[in-house]
Amino acid sequence: MKVNADRSVCIGAGMCVLTAPLVFDQDEDEGLVVLKVAEVPPEAEAAVARALTLCPSGALTRADQTP
């Protein structure tokens, strides 16, 4: 699984970091989302899927999902 994080949409709520800390972080300057890994490890996929649904701004999307 791969994810995209759109920092221009992120509002810094931090739900992604709380839900999937292996994959997401926040920068110190603005508190915006930072991807820690390019590919989500299998053990974090469920947490990342949950983070995608919890993100209040919709800044997180699956990068490898076909329409």
Side-chain angles (χ1 to χ4, degrees), residues 42-58:
E43 65 272 13
E45 286 185 0
V48 169
R50 179 92 173 120
L52 268 62
T53 64
L54 291 175
C55 179
S57 67

Side-chain angles (χ1 to χ4, degrees), residues 21-62:
L22 291 175
V23 177
F24 302 107
D25 200 354
Q26 289 176 284
D27 69 34
E28 292 185 25
D29 295 329
E30 301 175 280
L32 301 179
V33 63
V34 174
L35 287 175
K36 294 169 70 173
V37 297
E39 182 93 22
V40 176
E43 65 272 13
E45 286 185 0
V48 169
R50 179 92 173 120
L52 268 62
T53 64
L54 291 175
C55 179
S57 67
L60 307 176
T61 57
R62 280 192 67 156

